[in-house]
Amino acid sequence: MSGDLHASFVLAKLNKIGAFTHYGVGGDKMQYQGFKSLFDFSKFNVMGFVEVIKHLQFFLKVEKEIKDILISNRPDLLVLVDYPGLNLRIAKIAKELNIKVLYYICPQFWAWKHKRIFKIKKYTDFVCCINPFESPLLDEYKIPNQYVGHPVAEEIAATMTKEEFANKFNLDLNKEWIGLFPGSRKMEFVRHMKVFLDLVNLEPQREYLLSIADDSFLNLPLAKTFTDNITIIKELNYDIMKHSDFLVAKSGTTTLETTLFAKPFVIVYKANPLTVKIAKLISRVKYIGLPNLIANELIVKELIQEDMTAENIRHEINEVLTNSDKREHFTSVLETIKHKLGDESASTNCANKISEMLNYE
């Protein structure tokens, strides 16, 4: 989960400031920075209204246990990272216990569940927001905040040249490379891969670089249908983004990472139909892609639900790869969005604010 990565960068900066004890809910990357995780982090990898309801008992149990921990091992500061469904409930508990609360990666109240803004105001002491348009919105409600920069901007880094990458994975430099990002959750991986496989069959002359988040996905029945022109790649997402000619990315942080590489791409997403119906009812935004939200216009095509077909994806790819003017324009617009994010270090600014709130000398 991206929250683990973003928080690990903050922890790394905190460790340079001084000796802090940090514990709670966190993954491998946070634990590498000395964080003590009190829960199995993999169980929190749930997304969507229907999916959360299925795991409701687990989250209620976690909430109770966290409350007990906050009472028995009271922290000087509670830092919440994203995950608003659970974290806003924990924030309420913390405020009842008179524990200071900093929220890093603000709940997307501007997209849906706008009433969350009142919970943010009531239960948090400070918000470190990562999208430039969030700070003015928080100001309207007089919520102490700071735009710290987007964490993705300081995290992206490719490790190989295109030639090195081609040699490592036996890729043909004379072919067009299409990067595929189906997602890190099992259900979204399955939904998206079914369409991606249709795309591969439509355009078999290309190389397809498939990002895999979990090796267990390769045990799924659909993995047996992978063709020779699909190259499975794990933990090298940024190299895929840098070296591909075009990218197909599921909605989420991946779309912003791709934007920062200024590579042409299309945004796709399929979800549980009921989840989508609920989302449409409560959504307050016209787009789901972060680059489109930042630009406040449709820069990158969004193919959602029934619009996500192999034919539609192929159309978007060919529109760019067969027209150099469109490709250059696409790249130029993405560079503009990248400029809007600025060059702030989110982890440094957030760590400094944490230190300030702790009155660390």
Side-chain angles (χ1 to χ4, degrees), residues 307-326:
D307 290 332
M308 185 192 168
T309 65
E311 291 79 6
N312 286 344
I313 296 172
R314 176 173 66 170
H315 174 76
E316 295 303 318
I317 294 173
N318 290 341
E319 277 278 291
V320 172
L321 296 189
T322 60
N323 189 318
S324 59
D325 289 339
K326 284 189 177 182

Side-chain angles (χ1 to χ4, degrees), residues 186-227:
K186 181 179 178 180
M187 286 309 300
E188 64 185 9
F189 178 86
V190 171
R191 290 191 183 107
H192 297 155
M193 274 309 304
K194 289 178 179 178
V195 180
F196 290 173
L197 288 171
D198 289 340
L199 171 67
V200 173
N201 290 329
L202 283 176
E203 298 284 344
Q205 77 279 9
R206 291 171 169 145
E207 295 272 20
Y208 293 91
L209 283 55
L210 175 61
S211 170
I212 289 278
D214 190 327
D215 288 332
S216 67
F217 293 171
L218 299 178
N219 297 323
L220 295 168
L222 60 77
K224 296 178 182 178
T225 66
F226 287 1
T227 51

Side-chain angles (χ1 to χ4, degrees), residues 270-281:
K270 275 185 181 287
N272 182 293
L274 179 57
T275 293
V276 173
K277 286 182 180 179
I278 296 172
K280 285 182 177 179
L281 288 173

Side-chain angles (χ1 to χ4, degrees), residues 283-288 293 296-298 302:
S283 177
R284 296 167 54 89
V285 293
K286 294 183 288 185
Y287 317 114
I288 69 167
L293 288 167
N296 197 30
E297 62 177 301
L298 188 64
E302 298 181 351

Side-chain angles (χ1 to χ4, degrees), residues 38-58:
L38 306 176
F39 301 90
D40 181 355
F41 191 62
S42 65
K43 293 184 178 180
F44 292 83
N45 197 7
V46 178
M47 186 177 181
F49 303 104
V50 176
E51 290 77 9
V52 169
I53 290 172
K54 290 179 181 177
H55 295 82
L56 188 58
Q57 284 300 116
F58 167 74

